[in-house]
Amino acid sequence: MSSVNAQIVKESSGLPKIAVGILLAILLFGMFIVGYDQGQLFSLVEGQKAFDDLWMHEFYHDLRHAAGFPCH
Amino acid sequence: MKTVAFILITLVSGAIAGTILGLINQILVEPYIDQAIAIEVQNTVASGESVDVDELVQYRLWQKGGEIVAGTILGTSISALFGIVYIYSRDSLPGSNNKKKGLILAGIMFFVIFLIPALKYPANPPAVGDPETIEYRESLYTTMLVISGFAALGVAILYRSLGQTRRESRKIIVPTVYAVIIALAFVVLPANPDEIIISSNLLMNFRIVSAITMGIFWGILGILLGSFWDIVKPHETRATKLRTI
């Protein structure tokens, strides 16, 4: 009597919910800071100063325009 | 399913495509942004304020660097959505390999997420937007984006559900339903409230190159994710069984 290894390849299109959650979080966070932030994120640390400086808005300014996000 | 490998190839594809977008924009889009900034400077000087040219030059260099960083971040975040949609639609997409499937899905998502919202609320260069209306314009743009995205998701589900009973007629029904939803949104949603005071040439050229570079980005993203998919095969898992003979 002898034993052999047989390798089976299974295909699956199912994605764990945690992976979907991680990817959706990355989508929303990335879209927000590049396309929408008007000082909200840094205001968590800097307070009102962040709304006056608009650091992220200014740094991502050119891509906001180029990618079609509303800007000024 | 190799979940970690799937997430990694999804995010890396987006980061590379987004960085390339930021770099291409330096050549194709920046000349138009610089022209629009020059108009803003002229308006500032005409209103009696002074402009420090050296400071402005340094500031613009900083913003152009920021555009590349923003490209990497935006590419990664868009690719996160692209990866989710790809994994659930891969079996239904036409194409003999994942590069072709990825390119086809990228084309569909470029149409749904960029082109349709851009036809209602086109990209504008600096010197066009009024700072006072930015939140209102953001809400309009986001509404159009969400309507287009969820309409596409809805008709994709409809397409699958009609698969057994109306295999041929669904090819007409599904695009018609999407077109009706988008047409209604175009009619119901208000126009961009800002007055356009720059030349139509500058405006149209900017919008055209914006659409071209976004199209290039989506194309690169689709090909990259498909290529990584063919190499890594994240949908496959190997199980070893010990058989006794």
Side-chain angles (χ1 to χ4, degrees):
Chain A
M1 193 160 59
S2 63
S3 60
V4 291
N5 286 333
Q7 204 166 61
I8 303 163
V9 177
K10 289 183 177 176
E11 288 203 6
S12 165
S13 297
L15 186 62
K17 284 179 183 168
I18 184 75
V20 175
I22 289 169
L23 291 173
L24 286 178
I26 290 170
L27 166 71
L28 294 176
F29 184 71
M31 289 280 282
F32 176 76
I33 61 171
V34 171
Y36 291 89
D37 184 271
Q38 300 291 346
Q40 289 90 348
L41 192 68
F42 283 180
S43 75
L44 298 173
V45 180
E46 294 183 332
Q48 182 59 39
K49 184 176 180 297
F51 295 107
D52 301 329
D53 290 347
L54 294 175
W55 190 92
M56 224 176 289
H57 174 113
E58 291 298 320
F59 191 51
Y60 301 146
H61 170 269
D62 288 16
L63 192 79
R64 275 191 189 196
H65 281 282
F69 291 103
C71 202
H72 58 74
Chain B
M1 167 59 105
K2 300 173 200 165
T3 305
V4 174
F6 162 71
I7 292 175
L8 277 178
I9 62 168
T10 297
L11 299 182
V12 168
S13 304
I16 295 171
T19 307
I20 293 171
L21 169 69
L23 291 169
I24 291 173
N25 279 354
Q26 304 292 315
I27 301 162
L28 295 181
V29 180
E30 280 303 329
Y32 298 106
I33 293 185
D34 283 339
Q35 283 181 42
I37 296 276
I39 293 170
E40 282 187 334
V41 171
Q42 282 170 9
N43 292 340
T44 304
V45 172
S47 70
E49 291 180 48
S50 63
V51 174
D52 184 330
V53 176
D54 291 337
E55 192 181 329
L56 178 66
V57 168
Q58 291 302 314
Y59 196 71
R60 291 293 302 134
L61 283 174
W62 176 73
Q63 285 188 317
K64 287 174 184 178
E67 183 174 34
I68 299 170
V69 178
T72 309
I73 297 170
L74 184 69
T76 306
S77 56
I78 287 178
S79 187
L81 177 65
F82 184 64
I84 295 171
V85 177
Y86 187 73
I87 204 160
Y88 286 113
S89 62
R90 197 177 70 91
D91 292 341
S92 309
L93 288 167
S96 54
N97 58 48
N98 285 293
K99 277 192 283 295
K100 289 176 185 166
K101 286 173 185 280
L103 195 57
I104 288 165
L105 181 63
I108 294 168
M109 289 184 71
F110 166 74
F111 180 80
V112 169
I113 291 177
F114 177 80
L115 202 57
I116 290 294
L119 287 174
K120 177 66 182 173
Y121 300 114
N124 284 323
V128 171
D130 178 358
E132 296 298 318
T133 63
I134 189 164
E135 288 178 2
Y136 177 59
R137 287 183 285 120
E138 281 177 347
S139 68
L140 293 177
Y141 174 78
T142 308
T143 304
M144 191 65 232
L145 186 67
V146 168
I147 288 173
S148 182
F150 278 96
L153 178 64
V155 296
I157 293 167
L158 179 66
Y159 187 84
R160 278 196 180 179
S161 67
L162 293 174
Q164 301 304 319
T165 52
R166 298 181 179 181
R167 189 166 288 275
E168 286 307 313
S169 59
R170 67 180 178 170
K171 289 176 185 170
I172 298 166
I173 293 170
V174 166
T176 305
V177 171
Y178 179 76
V180 168
I181 295 169
I182 295 304
L184 280 173
F186 269 56
V187 172
V188 171
L189 288 173
N192 185 330
D194 291 353
E195 188 186 358
I196 292 174
I197 50 170
I198 62 170
S199 78
S200 56
N201 265 354
L202 173 57
L203 188 69
M204 287 313 297
N205 287 338
F206 176 81
R207 287 174 178 174
I208 289 166
V209 290
S210 159
I212 289 171
T213 60
M214 287 305 289
I216 292 170
F217 160 75
W218 276 103
I220 292 171
L221 177 61
I223 291 170
L224 272 180
L225 184 64
S227 303
F228 284 134
W229 198 287
D230 282 332
I231 296 166
V232 178
K233 296 183 172 54
H235 59 295
E236 288 183 1
T237 48
R238 292 179 191 282
T240 305
K241 275 190 174 179
L242 192 65
R243 281 193 301 179
T244 304
I245 301 169

